[in-house]
Amino acid sequence: MSDKHMETGEGHIGYPGYFGVFAILVFGTIFTYFSSFWDLDGTLFPGANTLLALAIAFFKMTCVMLFFMHVYWSPRMIWLSAVASLFWLAIMFAYTMSDYFTRSLGVFSV
Amino acid sequence: MSQHADTHHEEFHYHAPGLQHQFEDMKQQEESVSIGMWMFLVQEIMFFGGLFTAYLVFRSRFPLAFAEASNHLNAFWGGLNTLVLIVSSLTMALAVFYAQRGNRNMQVIMIILTMIFGATFLGVKVIEYTDKYNTGLVPVTGWNKKTKKNAEQHAAEPAKKEQAFTLPLIETSAAASAATEEHAAPYVNPKGEFQWNSGRHVFDYAIEKEKGGKAYLTEAERVGYFSQGEFDPNKYRDKIRIFYYIYFVMTGLHALHMIIGLGLMSWLLWAAFRGSFGPEYFAPVEMSGLYWHFVDIVWIFLFPLLYLLGRHFLAGGTH
Amino acid sequence: MQNVDAIGSGIPAIPKDNYLTNGFTLKSWLLTKDHKRIAIMYLISISLFFMAGGLYASAIRLELLTPETDLLTSATYNKVFTQHGILMIFFFLIPSIPAVLGNFLLPIMIGAKDLALPRINLLSLYIYWLGGALTVYALLQGGVDTGWTFYTPYSTTFSNSYVMAVGLGIFINGFSSILTGLNFIVTIHTMRAPGMTWFRLPLFVWAQYATSLVMILGTPVIAITVLLLAIERAVGVGIFDPAIGGDPILFQHLFWFYSHPAVYIMVLPGMGVISELISNFSRKKIFGYEFIAFSSIAIAVFGFLVWGHHMFVSGQSIYAGMVFSFLTMVVAVPSAIKMFNWSATLYKGSISYDTPMLYAIGFMGLFLIGGLTGLFLGSMGLVVHLTDTYFVVSHFHYVMVGGQVIAYLGGLHYWWPKITGRMYSEFWGKISAMLVFIGFNLTFFPQFILGYMGMPRRYASYPAEFQVLNIFSTAGASVLAVGFVMPLIYLMHSLFYGKPAGDNPWMLPGLEWRTTSPPPTENFEKTPVVTWEAYEFGEESGLDLEAARTRDSVTTV
């Protein structure tokens, strides 16, 4: 296990850091709210609105995980479990959707 | 543990306060607890992951109905709640920060603030749920407000429903909300059923787009909204009800996690007040913090996925 | 060294201070945090569930003795096979090796005093009891008839049985297995004794680690799925019933996302036990340690990518089916690696055919058949013919009974002297191991033929021309039942009359054999320091191979 972990006082970004992350999160929320009124689906491509909103959500999640949840200073095992859980979620999404997206191709298509 | 084991053990090792017998030292204990908590969070992620999969499947197949339904969630309350949770996450992170510093008073203050914001979140949730209850948007029959103005209106209900689905395309959010209010007024729901009286603006918008020669409906929608080639409001309503079902299950389970979190906080508050935590021993604060941030992260995703779909259909549908 | 002393001292005695003598009150058991006592309570609980599930199995086989629907009505038959499945899978197979043998041995094998989170361990037992009690209550009220798979919309809308109560029982029980898995992962990461590096861990521990991964990543998904099912059934609205716009195939996706990996929860620990048995009873360092260790992890990971092979004829996309079919072939590779390595370990080993080894050899044969027929069922074309026939039934019984149950029994016999401090009767042990093997094959091999000929599963009646093979199967089941009941008798007998086993009755190098039998509450007098590789046989490990060869004359009753 890594030894950089758990040195008292090292495992966080300090007072201004917390407020910086907080400011980013608040900005992200407000930005998500207003960006949802732009018609990106029409101007760019269908799903662009959702993609943008999810990208912001991912960014916010990363901030919370790295700094509020101290993953940045944590041993590799913690990094691994955080990444692995998202990876497994991706497996579940991708393989389930691979069924739905390809179901009407080929012989069954109208 | 038994008396025997403890006395037997003390001959070999000095025990730090809070150190359990199976560990050699505090570092090992902290590492174990933190990995354990993360494993718990991994399982929580997969737990919500099942719901997100269900959401993904239905959303990708019936995006129009989902957008239609989502427009009737109040994005203001949703956004406010997101901010409230973010603030509570900050205070929680600061509680851990002060626990590490051994600052008891600030610890207690931060935990109290976290609890206040958590409770605020739940309060807003109650307001939202009440609104859904009053307007017949709870997907379960009998769980909505039962309104019975008089028998005549009850008899006339089917006709009105039909009319509701023939609203013209609404171009602006102002017009949309006006239309909603207009139709909220003669609301009759004697059995407390799930009702959808707010038209099919998003669907119409898509049909309008399709006239431009561009395929806009998904293959599932071409089957899922029509009966014998005709638009079927009941089938459209079924998909909208699925959105509300997913909405209630997701936010309900999230709220349940918040309530459990508040329980944890109360215990933490009591322990912090007694000065249990300091630079050597703050694992409970840190672990509760991880849980709290996790619940926050779930909401960070729920907010855009549930509240913000297809708002542009109403706001900027100018093409 | 301790081992030498144990061999030299002639008649071993049971140590006075051990985990069993540390308190005799009911409270000292129910509130214990000792992983060994929790394992014993698990052992008793899952044995009860195994017997209940076994009774249902007997009812099924008796009904199928004749082509007509005579002993049970069709409706009762539906309930009987459903409850057989639910009890055996969720309440016996899944907790069997992890919660009993894993719980007892994992901390000892890595040289720890206890699991990392003992209170969580006790909590998992109570959750198991709670889920079990709810399920048993539902079964007594009238049971459930959906099949253990709870397919929608039958389970959400049409079934008139206690789906919700059983579903909630399984939901609750799921958290027991999540907490066990969580505890194991933490323990293996943080509690290893000095010198116990990752590649000195016994392969049983690696297998438990892989199993725990599956438990943590998969079980929550079944929990939420069953919860959604219960909500849908309770309120009449949901996402699974097509009549109200739902999608039954989504249920199957979510269900099998867990339940296919759950198959690996049910066989990986068994593979871990077999790795121990094969190496130790061949008295030879296991061949390809790293390959076996990593193949466990590979099975755990690839196991999550193949669930669609349960849904080939459900209406799933054929293109997704092709991917799932291909990956099913891929997941067979790590299992095959294990089989080859075990065979290579046997080669030129000095094999002793003790009861656990008989089980291990039985496992290799049965799992080979079970695994290969799995490939038949994983190929998209053939499965159209075989879906929902007795071929499937036979296949998964070969994997689960021929794999996990046999491995569990083998492991239980192997570690019985460590757990209780006493030897069972080797004679009766061997007889019962052989009866189980013969009875099992007689029961399930005819079912491959029946399935191939087209006999569908889940029916109480069948065409008369299938009767001969069904009689074979029922006859085999009787033999199998005798084989399962015998250990119950002679193991109980050994508790009171068995010869004290001594610390290391098999004369093996593993860490669990270097403490007393039964072990003291904190497992070791002082924390052991590991200086040897896993499965290192030889003088330097304190083992006299010659003495081990002539061991039979010492320990056999």
Side-chain angles (χ1 to χ4, degrees), chain C residues 108-125:
Chain C
I108 306 183
M109 280 180 158
I110 64 174
K113 288 180 203 144
D114 202 326
L115 284 170
L117 310 165
R119 276 181 292 192
I120 298 283
N121 196 18
L122 185 63
L123 180 66
S124 92
L125 175 66

Side-chain angles (χ1 to χ4, degrees), chain B residues 2 9 20-22 28 32, chain C residues 22 113 116 118-119 190 237 522:
Chain B
S2 71
H9 194 76
Q20 295 191 333
H21 84 101
Q22 71 271 26
Q28 192 187 21
S32 300
Chain C
N22 183 7
K113 288 180 203 144
R119 276 181 292 192
T190 62
V237 178
E522 294 205 326

